[in-house]
Amino acid sequence: MPAKKKGAKVEEPVAEEKPVEKPVEEKKRKAEDAPAEEPEAKKEDTEQEKDDVGDKRSALKNTIGFSTPDTTLNVVNTMGGKVLMSMNEGGLQYLIGGARANVGMKAGRYMYEVKIIEALNPTEAAQTSKGKLYGTRQTLRIGFSVAGSPLILGEFDDCVYFDSDGQVGTGRIKRRLPELQKFGRDMTMTVLLNLDSSSDNANTISLFREGTRLSKPFKLPENLVGNTLIPHICFRNVSVYVNFGPSPTKPLPFKCRMIQSAAEKDTEAVAAKPPKDGKYEVVLPVGFPDEGTFEWLDDFLEKNPSYMELSDRKLKEWAASSGLGRHGGGSNDKPQFKYGFHSMDNYSLQKIVSHVAPLSARNYIIMEVKSNLNKDERTATLKRFSSQRFKKLARVMMGEPEDAFKQKALARILKAKQVRVTAEWQNKKRVQKQQFEKKKQMKILAEKKKEAEEKRKKLMEEAAKKKAEAEAAKKKAAEEKKAAEEKEGKKEEEEKKDDDKKEGEAKKEDETKKDGEEKKDEEMKDAEPKAEEKKDEKKEEEKKEEKKEEKKEEPEDEPMEDLGEEPPTAELDEEEQKICFFPKTGQGDLTPQVLNTAFVHFSLPTKEEGFDEIKYDWQAESAANEYLRKYVLEKKASTRIDGLTPSQYFKDKLAAWNKQKVDWEAKLQTFKSSGKKKDNKEQAAVDIFAVADVNDTGGGEPLYANFEAHDWALLQLRYELHLLLDSFKHDVNDPDRINIPEAHFPFYYSKYYSKQLNPKMFTLDGIPALVKLVKDTVVLDGEKKLLTSALTDDVSSLDIFVKLGEESRRERQRRIDAGDETARLKYVPPAVPKPVEPKPAAPKPAAAKPADPKAAAAKPAAAKPAAAKPAAAKPAAAKPAAAKPAAAKPAAAKPAAQAPKASPVGVIQTPGKTGGAAGAKGNEKGGKSGDKGGKFGSNPAWQTPAQQGGNEKGGKSGDKGGKFGSNPAWQAPAQQGGKSGDKGGKFGSNPAWQAPAQQGSAKGGGGKGWQGDGDQSWKNSSSGGQSWQSNSQSHSQGWGKSDSKGKNDSKGKNDSKGKNQKGDSKGWGGKGGGKNQGGKSWGW
């Protein structure tokens, strides 16, 4: 109930208040109806701009618009300057376009309007590898700039503008004002410039949107005050409508005239005047790389701002101004484009600019260092520009530059040096400050360490003092105790006076001992003060040493170098003052690869190429021509031709030489085998160069009869160097390049012969020493270091090289005979690489089928030697009929219960479980004939006899058996080692039975087949089990019995004298019988 009352009390005043409040509000509104316009009046009072008063001065007569030279290449001016559009193909869609009007303001208050009427979204932006879309963002900047400034607002200081992102920019700085907002499509934006000196808002700029103020009057930068300011618009991916007047589409809260209605005295025409003859100029600067090319260009543009630069450098600057970032790489002439946009990075931008530029009437200066030095490329560039609209000029800068250019270059060098000197000074100051702080910190730490050490010593002294006091108290207590004991002893002595003499003597002895101890105690007492004195002395000495250490620890600080408060002033030395061009940085104007391939085509421009005028800025035409010729010759002498390839001319000559050399070597072998030879005197009498045929100097003896290995090597070297020079001259086909520089000689030798030139072959160091060996053929110029030919006449016959080789050989021999050992050549023949044998293809395993058990007792069908041919290696023809183990039970076999079960061919046999005691290692070691048994491999089939038993080492008959392979079939018996063959055949890849004729008998004879003892081919010794063995009596390779002592010994299946004790077995031999022939052996 109380709750309800409270609720009623609350509701009642609310119900009463509503009807009371309404009439009060209505009364207030009615009372305020009369002054309802006061807020509007207040707004007018707060608007800082006032209505424009009438101006009787004459208005502007010229129509305001945009002239072509004051727009970027991607701007399309349409509808009489009312609409500005941009091209959006070939990479231009990523670049901001700029347009500056042809009339500027120098006084008064005027405005103009801009409206975005179209927004574009190029599709390529989605394909960028960076995954960013900033390159296609719509952009609009509206403001003012000064004449001659760059066309992209925000990239220079002399401008002020508003950005569609809601920012105001002054020069390169952007800032966001609280009242500014973003603006976009279909919004009429008005820019107001107040240069009226009588106004309170003089030298300010304001922005309005749809006639409503969007920003307060913003003060102009100081550098713009007093200058003529020109309307300037920049945009990207939008089309804009521009209204200069005379009437606004969206009036402002106050009356204001538009620029088209401005007084003529408040404006200034700033449009470039068209040329008198109606032709604009196209200038091609021609100069050498890294010799002031771009420096000259910068000076030219500074003096002639109306010229537009066409170069990759300028395109990169344009991209950076458009917000695509800056990156290095490449050369000045061809910098790298890596923006992540396909049409930018594939040089489509350069192509479209080269096509658009001739369509736009303005002055151009085309800076292409390499292209402007090449006749064909210059001609192609000029053809793009119509002779009716453009005048084509060439400006040549070669040789020593003029003094004004030199001074500017030296000023740049000095400035760069000053930067380096200042950086070094700042680095030294930084290091010096760090050292000072470090020393200061070290002093603080030393003081803290000293204080801690003093505290530690005090604590130690106090502890030592307490310890001494404790020891003294202890000593005193001991003395008191001793004194009490002495008193008690005396009493006892008096009481025991009646003791016998012995006891008295004992007491006397005790007293004497006690007297000795007392003396020692007294001596100790006397020694204690002395020890304390010594301790005090030691402490004093320690204190002195500590003081000395403190003095040592605190050395005097070395005075620091006074670097001053300002960096030193840089000066150029004598060598630097002689420099004419600023040193190149990075790759320079051209990369080495481009320069090395292009310099041979450098030439001076001529009027035949299409130039209307050629001007030489630094030196006259003749001097420039001479300078060019020297430059090219020096480059040819120091630059190798990386792209040179051996021609067919070289290949034919080399093939003919190789054939001739082989013929000479063959004839020399024939002559040596004949045994004919002249004596030394007769040989020396032969006139080398009078010999008509080097193959016969008389009696069939060739001129090269005494050639040794090093003589043939020198002969080959002579011809190779001669042919290299000859082919180089032929392939290069340049009269200035007939010789090879020493530095490039190894490169060209490797290029032509596909091998390295190796002076170490003759134990020499360096190419000059090697060339000296064949100086009769080629020589190395010491001054120019060029490899030149020593043969004056054309070589028509290869005999000349043999004659030169013989002459050189005789000269060396003469010197050696005279005792000159330095003439002896130390020749190291090159190592001949062994040819790599091709690996045989891996055979497919053949499935072995078990033979017919009825044929077990039959002799092998392929036992004749005729079956040994390779053609008989097929499984069907070569498989013996008695191959199945099932039929191989011996006549005198073990008891039936012990007989092993035969497994089919191709199945791994199961070893017996019971091994003979004496044959524990039967598999590892065979009998006397075979030192080691074959190691069992992974072959699931019957193995070759050579591989089973005596695999590692055969018996007396064969030193080594065949190596075990992976063939899953019966192998050829021929792979066994016989007496006549020291080594058995290696396991082959034939998956079938091989011809029995390939076997080697125990004594070297040809095997007649699978032979055993007598007529039996499968024998089983009870002591040795079945194996592939050679009978010691019959020396046959087969399944024969191996033990000459009988089938079974008295010891039965575990007989130590069983099989392989004395036999010539090469098979599965073990010393014991049973299923497990020797433990590790696979027995039967």
Side-chain angles (χ1 to χ4, degrees):
M1 295 300 292
K4 288 181 180 180
K5 288 181 180 180
K6 287 181 180 178
K9 288 180 182 178
V10 173
E11 290 174 359
E12 286 174 3
V14 172
E16 291 176 358
E17 285 175 1
K18 286 182 180 179
V20 172
E21 287 179 357
K22 285 182 179 179
V24 172
E25 289 177 359
E26 290 176 0
K27 289 178 181 180
K28 287 182 179 179
R29 288 175 183 173
K30 289 178 180 179
E32 294 173 356
D33 282 343
E37 295 182 359
E38 284 185 8
E40 296 294 329
K42 287 181 180 178
K43 286 184 180 179
E44 289 181 1
D45 293 339
T46 55
E47 175 58 60
Q48 300 180 23
E49 295 292 346
K50 298 179 181 180
D51 289 337
D52 188 17
V53 294
D55 192 348
K56 296 181 180 180
R57 293 178 296 174
S58 59
L60 181 64
K61 296 178 182 179
N62 297 332
T63 302
I64 301 178
F66 300 96
S67 59
T68 301
D70 289 324
T71 59
T72 55
L73 286 173
N74 61 339
V75 171
V76 180
N77 186 1
T78 63
M79 299 180 68
K82 294 292 183 180
V83 176
L84 297 177
M85 305 177 68
S86 63
M87 289 183 285
N88 295 285
E89 293 292 337
L92 290 175
Q93 66 269 31
Y94 303 113
L95 305 181
I96 294 177
R100 185 168 43 235
N102 55 1
V103 174
M105 295 172 54
K106 57 183 180 180
R109 185 189 69 177
Y110 304 100
M111 67 177 184
Y112 71 94
E113 295 177 339
V114 177
K115 182 179 181 180
I116 298 176
I117 59 175
E118 182 184 27
L120 305 174
N121 293 288
T123 57
E124 188 183 336
Q127 301 172 8
T128 172
S129 60
K130 292 184 177 180
K132 297 180 180 179
L133 300 176
Y134 68 85
T136 59
R137 186 180 59 186
Q138 289 85 15
T139 301
L140 177 62
R141 299 173 187 173
I142 48 179
F144 293 87
S145 65
V146 299
S149 60
L151 294 175
I152 307 299
L153 291 170
E155 293 302 313
F156 54 97
D157 295 329
D158 300 331
C159 66
V160 60
Y161 62 93
F162 293 100
D163 196 294
S164 58
D165 288 338
Q167 300 182 48
V168 61
T170 54
R172 293 180 173 87
I173 301 172
K174 280 186 179 183
R175 66 188 73 180
R176 192 175 294 279
L177 301 180
E179 65 273 15
L180 274 180
Q181 298 177 13
K182 294 183 179 181
F183 54 89
R185 182 174 176 175
D186 298 329
M187 296 180 183
T188 301
M189 309 304 299
T190 305
V191 184
L192 174 71
L193 180 64
N194 191 341
L195 299 180
D196 187 0
S197 57
S198 62
S199 174
D200 295 336
N201 299 318
N203 297 322
T204 61
I205 185 173
S206 302
L207 182 66
F208 296 82
R209 182 178 62 189
E210 298 293 330
T212 303
R213 179 178 285 277
L214 200 59
S215 73
K216 296 178 181 179
F218 184 79
K219 282 286 185 182
L220 295 177
E222 292 295 331
N223 59 313
L224 295 182
V225 177
N227 291 321
T228 299
L229 301 181
I230 311 165
H232 197 147
I233 301 171
C234 288
F235 58 99
R236 174 173 55 196
N237 294 328
V238 296
S239 298
V240 295
Y241 167 75
V242 184
N243 181 22
F244 289 113
S247 300
T249 58
K250 292 290 182 178
L252 302 183
F254 53 90
K255 293 180 180 180
C256 181
R257 284 179 293 173
M258 302 192 75
I259 298 178
Q260 187 63 62
S261 302
E264 192 168 5
K265 289 186 178 180
D266 291 343
T267 61
E268 181 181 351
V270 292
K273 295 179 181 180
K276 295 180 181 180
D277 56 358
K279 291 184 178 181
Y280 289 91
E281 292 184 351
V282 177
V283 180
L284 271 67
V286 181
F288 282 119
D290 304 312
E291 293 192 3
T293 49
F294 284 93
E295 290 82 359
W296 180 91
L297 175 63
D298 294 336
D299 293 342
F300 178 88
L301 292 173
E302 185 179 353
K303 298 174 183 177
N304 305 276
S306 63
Y307 282 75
M308 173 173 280
E309 177 187 350
L310 294 181
S311 68
D312 284 9
R313 178 187 78 159
K314 196 64 179 178
L315 291 178
K316 285 202 71 174
E317 290 179 4
W318 191 1
S321 302
S322 302
L324 298 186
R326 300 177 185 271
H327 61 267
S331 62
N332 296 332
D333 191 41
K334 293 294 177 183
Q336 291 182 354
F337 280 66
K338 293 183 179 180
Y339 296 103
F341 300 112
H342 182 67
S343 56
M344 291 284 290
D345 297 345
N346 68 353
Y347 297 96
S348 296
L349 181 62
Q350 286 85 336
K351 293 178 182 178
I352 194 169
V353 167
S354 65
H355 288 87
V356 171
L359 304 177
S360 179
R362 68 182 84 198
N363 293 323
Y364 293 106
I365 181 166
I366 304 175
M367 174 50 79
E368 296 284 346
V369 178
K370 180 183 77 69
S371 298
N372 292 352
L373 282 166
N374 186 289
K375 178 182 178 180
D376 295 337
E377 295 185 31
R378 284 194 303 263
T379 304
T381 301
L382 294 178
K383 284 182 178 179
R384 293 200 298 267
F385 293 88
S386 171
S387 299
Q388 297 178 356
R389 300 179 64 188
F390 296 96
K391 183 180 179 181
K392 305 167 187 178
L393 307 175
R395 302 287 293 270
V396 182
M397 304 85 61
M398 287 188 182
E400 186 176 352
E402 54 190 3
D403 292 339
F405 185 88
K406 283 183 183 179
Q407 295 302 319
K408 287 185 178 180
L410 292 176
R412 289 188 64 209
I413 295 171
L414 181 60
K415 184 179 180 180
K417 188 174 184 179
Q418 183 64 56
V419 171
R420 292 196 303 271
V421 169
T422 303
E424 291 173 0
W425 176 81
Q426 290 174 346
N427 186 50
K428 286 182 179 179
K429 289 282 285 185
R430 181 179 55 81
V431 172
Q432 195 178 73
K433 186 178 180 181
Q434 289 177 351
Q435 291 177 350
F436 177 77
E437 294 294 335
K438 186 178 180 180
K439 287 180 180 179
K440 186 179 179 181
Q441 192 68 21
M442 288 178 67
K443 283 183 180 180
I444 293 171
L445 292 174
E447 290 175 358
K448 289 182 179 180
K449 185 178 179 181
K450 186 178 179 182
E451 291 176 1
E453 186 67 22
E454 289 176 354
K455 288 180 181 179
R456 187 182 66 83
K457 287 178 180 178
K458 286 181 180 180
L459 292 173
M460 290 179 66
E461 289 175 357
E462 291 176 359
K465 188 177 180 182
K466 289 179 180 179
K467 186 178 179 181
E469 290 175 354
E471 289 177 354
K474 187 178 179 181
K475 218 178 262 188
K476 187 177 181 181
E479 289 174 357
E480 291 175 355
K481 184 178 180 181
K482 190 175 181 182
E485 289 176 354
E486 288 177 355
K487 288 180 180 180
E488 291 177 358
K490 287 179 181 179
K491 289 179 181 180
E492 290 176 357
E493 288 176 0
E494 290 176 357
E495 292 175 357
K496 296 179 181 181
K497 286 181 180 181
D498 297 334
D499 292 343
D500 54 4
K501 293 180 179 180
K502 291 182 180 180
E503 293 176 353
E505 291 176 358
K507 288 180 181 180
K508 287 181 180 180
E509 289 178 359
D510 292 337
E511 288 176 358
T512 56
K513 288 181 180 179
K514 290 178 180 179
D515 292 338
E517 290 176 357
E518 289 176 356
K519 287 180 180 179
K520 286 181 180 179
D521 291 339
E522 290 176 357
E523 290 177 357
M524 291 292 291
K525 288 179 181 178
D526 295 337
E528 283 178 1
K530 292 181 180 179
E532 289 178 357
E533 291 177 359
K534 288 182 179 179
K535 285 181 180 179
D536 294 336
E537 290 176 358
K538 286 182 179 179
K539 287 180 180 180
E540 291 178 359
E541 290 176 358
E542 287 176 358
K543 288 180 180 179
K544 290 179 180 179
E545 289 177 358
E546 287 174 0
K547 289 180 180 179
K548 289 180 180 179
E549 288 177 359
E550 287 176 0
K551 290 180 179 180
K552 289 179 180 179
E553 289 176 358
E554 297 179 1
E556 294 182 0
D557 294 338
E558 296 181 1
M560 301 183 76
E561 182 183 357
D562 185 12
L563 297 175
E565 297 299 326
E566 296 292 333
T569 303
E571 295 181 357
L572 299 179
D573 55 31
E574 293 182 2
E575 293 298 324
E576 290 173 331
Q577 289 178 356
K578 296 177 183 178
I579 298 175
C580 298
F581 309 108
F582 188 81
K584 78 171 183 178
T585 56
Q587 296 279 7
D589 290 348
L590 299 179
T591 60
Q593 296 82 0
V594 173
L595 179 60
N596 292 343
T597 56
F599 77 91
V600 292
H601 304 293
F602 287 175
S603 63
L604 292 178
T606 60
K607 289 191 175 182
E608 288 76 10
E609 299 170 13
F611 286 103
D612 297 316
E613 183 182 347
I614 300 173
K615 183 179 180 181
Y616 290 85
D617 285 37
W618 293 348
Q619 292 186 351
E621 182 179 359
S622 58
N625 258 316
E626 182 64 21
Y627 188 84
L628 172 64
R629 191 184 69 82
K630 288 182 179 179
Y631 178 90
V632 173
L633 288 177
E634 289 176 1
K635 289 296 293 181
K636 285 182 178 179
S638 60
T639 305
R640 73 186 191 189
I641 309 173
D642 293 334
L644 185 64
T645 55
S647 63
Q648 190 62 37
Y649 173 86
F650 165 79
K651 295 176 183 177
D652 293 343
K653 292 251 181 184
L654 182 61
W657 164 259
N658 290 333
K659 183 179 179 182
Q660 181 63 67
K661 186 184 175 187
V662 170
D663 183 55
W664 286 336
E665 290 174 344
K667 289 181 179 178
L668 179 62
Q669 292 297 328
T670 303
F671 172 74
K672 286 183 177 180
S673 61
S674 66
K676 300 178 182 179
K677 190 177 182 181
K678 296 180 182 178
D679 56 18
N680 294 335
K681 290 183 179 179
E682 290 178 351
Q683 290 177 347
V686 175
D687 186 358
I688 296 174
F689 295 98
V691 173
D693 184 5
V694 296
N695 296 317
D696 188 1
T697 59
E701 181 175 355
L703 184 63
Y704 45 86
N706 294 317
F707 273 22
E708 297 180 7
H710 58 269
D711 297 306
W712 288 107
L714 285 175
L715 179 65
Q716 182 71 17
L717 180 63
R718 275 185 177 85
Y719 185 76
E720 285 181 349
L721 299 188
H722 163 75
L723 180 59
L724 178 61
L725 281 171
D726 184 39
S727 299
F728 177 81
K729 180 180 177 181
H730 175 273
D731 297 346
V732 174
N733 193 23
D734 187 346
D736 297 328
R737 279 181 165 177
I738 58 175
N739 300 318
I740 299 177
E742 178 188 351
H744 305 157
F745 182 62
F747 170 78
Y748 291 123
Y749 184 88
S750 175
K751 196 84 170 176
Y752 274 85
Y753 294 106
S754 300
K755 61 181 180 180
Q756 299 297 324
L757 188 64
N758 185 18
K760 299 291 183 181
M761 183 171 59
F762 291 94
T763 322
L764 300 173
D765 293 327
I767 293 174
L770 185 65
V771 172
K772 195 174 181 180
L773 290 178
V774 291
K775 60 185 178 181
D776 48 20
T777 305
V778 293
V779 293
L780 194 62
D781 189 346
E783 296 180 0
K784 297 181 180 179
K785 294 186 177 181
L786 294 174
L787 193 72
T788 59
S789 177
L791 302 176
T792 55
D793 299 329
D794 293 337
V795 177
S796 57
S797 174
L798 299 178
D799 293 353
I800 184 63
F801 298 103
V802 176
K803 295 177 181 179
L804 293 173
E806 175 63 15
E807 183 185 37
S808 177
R809 186 197 67 79
R810 291 184 184 182
E811 176 61 21
R812 288 196 309 274
Q813 189 61 45
R814 183 189 64 77
R815 290 172 58 190
I816 293 171
D817 294 341
D820 184 5
E821 288 298 322
T822 60
R824 194 181 300 277
L825 294 178
K826 297 178 182 179
Y827 175 66
V828 181
V832 180
K834 295 181 180 180
V836 180
E837 296 181 359
K839 295 182 179 180
K844 295 182 179 179
K849 297 181 180 179
D852 186 4
K854 294 181 180 180
K859 294 182 180 180
K864 295 181 179 181
K869 295 180 181 180
K874 297 181 180 178
K879 190 173 181 180
K884 189 173 182 181
K889 294 181 180 180
K894 298 177 182 179
Q898 300 295 331
K901 294 181 180 180
S903 297
V905 176
V907 180
I908 300 176
Q909 307 305 318
T910 305
K913 295 182 180 178
T914 59
K921 294 184 179 179
N923 191 31
E924 290 295 326
K925 186 174 181 182
K928 186 176 182 181
S929 300
D931 291 341
K932 281 189 179 181
K935 293 183 179 179
F936 188 80
S938 61
N939 194 337
W942 289 87
Q943 305 302 322
T944 311
Q947 281 125 19
Q948 304 183 27
N951 186 18
E952 292 292 330
K953 185 174 181 182
K956 187 175 182 181
S957 300
D959 291 342
K960 279 192 178 181
K963 293 185 178 179
F964 184 82
S966 60
N967 195 333
W970 288 82
Q971 304 303 320
Q975 293 170 336
Q976 299 182 83
K979 185 176 181 181
S980 59
D982 292 339
K983 288 187 178 180
K986 292 184 179 179
F987 186 84
S989 61
N990 192 336
W993 286 80
Q994 306 300 324
Q998 294 172 335
Q999 299 182 83
S1001 64
K1003 293 185 178 181
K1008 299 295 184 180
W1010 295 87
Q1011 298 179 2
D1013 187 7
D1015 294 334
Q1016 295 180 354
S1017 59
W1018 289 74
K1019 293 293 184 179
N1020 182 19
S1021 173
S1022 60
S1023 62
Q1026 294 178 356
S1027 63
W1028 294 74
Q1029 301 178 18
S1030 172
N1031 193 313
S1032 60
Q1033 295 178 357
S1034 63
H1035 301 286
S1036 64
Q1037 309 243 4
W1039 291 76
K1041 73 182 178 184
S1042 59
D1043 192 359
S1044 60
K1045 291 188 176 183
K1047 297 177 182 178
N1048 194 358
D1049 205 317
S1050 59
K1051 292 184 181 180
K1053 54 186 176 183
N1054 281 338
D1055 189 359
S1056 61
K1057 295 182 179 180
K1059 158 184 168 180
N1060 273 349
Q1061 287 295 314
K1062 293 183 179 180
D1064 294 334
S1065 172
K1066 291 182 179 155
W1068 294 55
K1071 292 184 179 180
K1075 291 183 179 180
N1076 188 1
Q1077 294 289 324
K1080 296 183 180 179
S1081 174
W1082 292 81
W1084 292 86

